[in-house]
Amino acid sequence: MGARTLITVAEFEKLPDDGNLHELDEGELIVTPPPRPRHGRIQRIVALALDQAAKQGGGEVLIETGFRLASDVVQAPDVAFIRAEKQGQIDWDRYCEFGPDLAVEILSPDDKAGLLQRQIARYFEAGTTTVWVLDPNSITLTVYEAGGKFRTLCASDLIDSPEVLPGFSATVSSLFE
């Protein structure tokens, strides 16, 4: 296996827009193709559901936005929620220098389990409270919480997140429809 070519966040920020999603993993550039239609549809549904709840309690919902989670790590969750109390920390022209309160990842056919687990760990290291991983193939949602707890919900289960997004509640299946 050859040596990895590492780049800095400054170099990462200067990458041209080539239509792909870029993340930085300990200085290594991770490039993924644009999401497929099913992924994009689920992303829109989740973002709209969270945005509706955010309007009630405050906060910001962002899609594929870069979060600088460490000096050499930039991740872009499919959907992110930031509580109202943290909105003042957002510099609208730079990557967020903190983890979102809720990070949502939607599994794609090309996702690698090891990278996903590393990403989840990095969210928590950067202060994220909750990570949701949606699996379109099984219509399940796995909720990861800081401290190592997790649970998998199936289509008919209710998902809520009172500590992060008070007032939000939906069936898991509704996030896929």
Side-chain angles (χ1 to χ4, degrees):
M1 183 180 259
R4 298 185 319 169
T5 301
L6 304 179
I7 65 171
T8 66
V9 170
E11 293 168 321
F12 179 78
E13 290 176 325
K14 293 177 184 173
L15 290 173
D17 183 359
D18 62 3
N20 291 311
L21 178 65
H22 300 94
E23 293 184 317
L24 196 60
D25 181 22
E26 295 180 354
E28 183 177 1
L29 181 63
I30 306 296
V31 180
T32 55
R36 294 177 178 105
R38 177 164 71 164
H39 184 109
R41 182 172 185 255
I42 294 168
Q43 187 177 24
R44 175 183 49 84
I45 291 167
V46 170
L48 288 172
L50 293 177
D51 195 52
Q52 221 172 6
K55 286 179 182 169
Q56 305 299 316
E60 190 71 43
V61 176
L62 302 171
I63 298 171
E64 290 183 356
T65 298
F67 288 83
R68 187 172 180 180
L69 304 180
S71 63
D72 57 356
V73 175
V74 177
Q75 290 179 190
D78 292 311
V79 181
F81 172 73
I82 300 169
R83 293 181 206 194
E85 305 86 66
K86 279 183 161 177
Q87 279 184 282
Q89 296 177 39
I90 299 172
D91 178 340
W92 295 99
D93 295 315
R94 301 189 53 81
Y95 295 121
C96 295
E97 296 279 339
F98 54 87
D101 293 294
L102 169 65
V104 180
E105 296 288 353
I106 302 161
L107 293 180
S108 295
D110 303 326
D111 284 342
K112 295 177 177 76
L115 178 59
L116 179 64
Q117 291 305 312
R118 220 170 38 246
Q119 287 175 322
I120 291 169
R122 288 206 181 101
Y123 284 128
F124 290 129
E125 290 165 6
T128 296
T129 305
T130 306
V131 177
W132 293 353
V133 177
L134 284 80
D135 185 343
N137 291 325
S138 61
I139 314 295
T140 58
L141 188 158
T142 302
V143 179
Y144 295 87
E145 296 173 354
K149 292 191 285 183
F150 71 93
R151 66 189 188 283
T152 300
L153 306 173
C154 51
S156 61
D157 290 332
L158 199 62
I159 178 66
D160 62 6
S161 192
E163 57 287 331
V164 176
L165 201 64
F168 174 80
S169 179
T171 59
V172 170
S173 64
S174 71
L175 300 177
F176 294 88
E177 302 171 339

